[in-house]
Amino acid sequence: MTISKERKEELEKLEESIGYIFKNKNLIDVALTHSSYINESKDKNRSSNERLEFLGDSILDLVVSEELYKNHKSYPEGKLTKIRSRIVCTSSFSKASEKFNLSSYLLFGKGEISHNGREKKSVKADTFEAFCAAIYLDAGYVFLKNFLMENYYQTVKELLENDLLFIDYKTKLQEYFNKTNRTILKYKLAKEEGPEHNKTFYMDVYAKNKKLSTGKGKNKKEAEQMAAMKAYKKLNHE
């Protein structure tokens, strides 16, 4: 399969951001090709990322299971299963995809683009699974595991500790204020740090002109959730 010059340049930007150069460029190209693109283009020489997504799902399940087994020797099977289910899920993988903005590299059908497909959690999660499968096939299991631990371990740890994968604190905080004085909360970017491919964002949450708290994250949405969580827990004395 021939990859156009424009597509190669686009994929090279991703390789630069993740710090890995694919030996087989077709793998990462396919990993970032949505089925809607294939359906619309009718190009029989191209494949969508669905098969890689299938493989990636199993590999990620293995990586997470292995790390939980090794690092939590006192946990019974039931607790390990519960924690794994919170990591190996659409919400978690969707957030993981956002670190390198993977969906922005997806080849999409026009119909899916018009329905804001790039922002769908399921699309982001599927893309992350396919992306990981491509790394696995190109570089091997050990490299993939090290890549995931280096780029996602701390984030997953914080998300689990704060229940951010399951609790929408922005909604909970707004509901709290709706009960009292119907104040519409506002979130403002305080600052951002780090290189373009690995920024940390700081967001403030305000009730009228009063700053309630500041949160940080690898994207603005995550930082907003952290700010909302801190404010909510403070208000409820948690």
Side-chain angles (χ1 to χ4, degrees):
M1 182 178 68
T2 304
I3 304 175
S4 70
K5 181 183 177 181
E6 293 78 10
R7 179 64 167 166
K8 281 183 180 179
E9 290 175 352
E10 187 179 48
L11 295 175
E12 283 171 1
K13 290 180 182 178
L14 174 60
E15 289 177 323
E16 183 180 350
S17 71
I18 67 174
Y20 177 71
I21 307 299
F22 280 83
K23 296 183 283 291
N24 182 352
K25 304 294 184 187
N26 286 334
L27 277 172
I28 188 59
D29 183 47
V30 171
L32 298 170
T33 301
H34 193 261
S35 58
S36 63
Y37 180 85
I38 303 299
N39 295 336
E40 287 188 16
S41 68
K42 295 182 172 60
D43 186 347
K44 294 181 180 179
N45 294 318
R46 295 195 67 93
S47 301
S48 77
N49 62 7
E50 290 179 335
R51 282 169 53 81
L52 283 174
E53 175 201 328
F54 164 80
L55 178 60
D57 178 64
S58 297
I59 295 166
L60 286 164
D61 192 79
L62 174 59
V63 170
V64 172
S65 297
E66 180 183 350
E67 288 305 308
L68 288 174
Y69 178 80
K70 286 181 177 178
N71 295 312
H72 299 284
K73 295 181 180 179
S74 65
Y75 288 6
E77 181 269 343
K79 187 169 184 177
L80 292 173
T81 299
K82 184 178 180 181
I83 296 172
R84 183 180 62 190
S85 71
R86 296 174 68 183
I87 300 172
V88 182
C89 67
T90 298
S91 293
S92 174
F93 290 168
S94 174
K95 285 186 177 295
S97 177
E98 290 172 358
K99 173 162 187 177
F100 297 108
N101 201 15
L102 295 179
S103 63
S104 69
Y105 297 93
L106 267 181
L107 292 177
F108 252 125
K110 292 179 180 178
E112 192 67 25
I113 291 174
S114 67
H115 287 89
N116 206 28
R118 293 188 197 279
E119 296 305 313
K120 292 178 180 176
K121 273 189 175 184
S122 58
V123 170
K124 289 181 179 181
D126 293 346
T127 303
F128 181 70
E129 290 174 338
F131 168 73
C132 289
I135 293 178
Y136 164 76
L137 291 173
D138 201 68
Y141 177 80
V142 173
F143 181 90
L144 173 63
K145 187 173 75 169
N146 290 337
F147 173 83
L148 293 170
M149 293 298 289
E150 180 182 344
N151 286 284
Y152 294 106
Y153 175 79
Q154 194 60 37
T155 300
V156 170
K157 184 172 178 286
E158 290 174 2
L159 290 172
L160 285 173
E161 287 174 352
N162 296 313
D163 278 329
L164 291 183
L165 290 176
F166 294 92
I167 299 176
D168 181 357
Y169 278 102
K170 283 182 69 177
T171 298
K172 287 177 75 71
L173 185 62
Q174 186 60 65
E175 288 173 348
Y176 174 91
F177 277 90
N178 287 345
K179 292 176 183 177
T180 54
N181 53 15
R182 298 188 178 275
T183 300
I184 301 299
L185 302 175
K186 292 183 179 180
Y187 293 83
K188 297 180 181 179
L189 178 65
K191 63 177 179 176
E192 51 187 80
E193 297 176 336
E196 194 63 37
H197 67 279
N198 190 25
K199 283 186 176 294
T200 298
F201 296 88
Y202 294 81
M203 300 294 293
D204 295 331
V205 56
Y206 288 85
K208 294 184 178 178
N209 295 318
K210 181 182 178 182
K211 186 171 82 171
L212 301 175
S213 66
T214 301
K216 70 174 183 176
K218 286 302 178 182
N219 55 65
K220 292 178 182 178
K221 289 183 179 179
E222 185 178 305
E224 288 175 354
Q225 284 287 349
M226 288 295 290
M229 179 202 71
K230 289 167 69 175
Y232 182 83
K233 289 190 174 183
K234 184 178 179 180
L235 290 166
N236 287 277
H237 307 290
E238 291 184 14

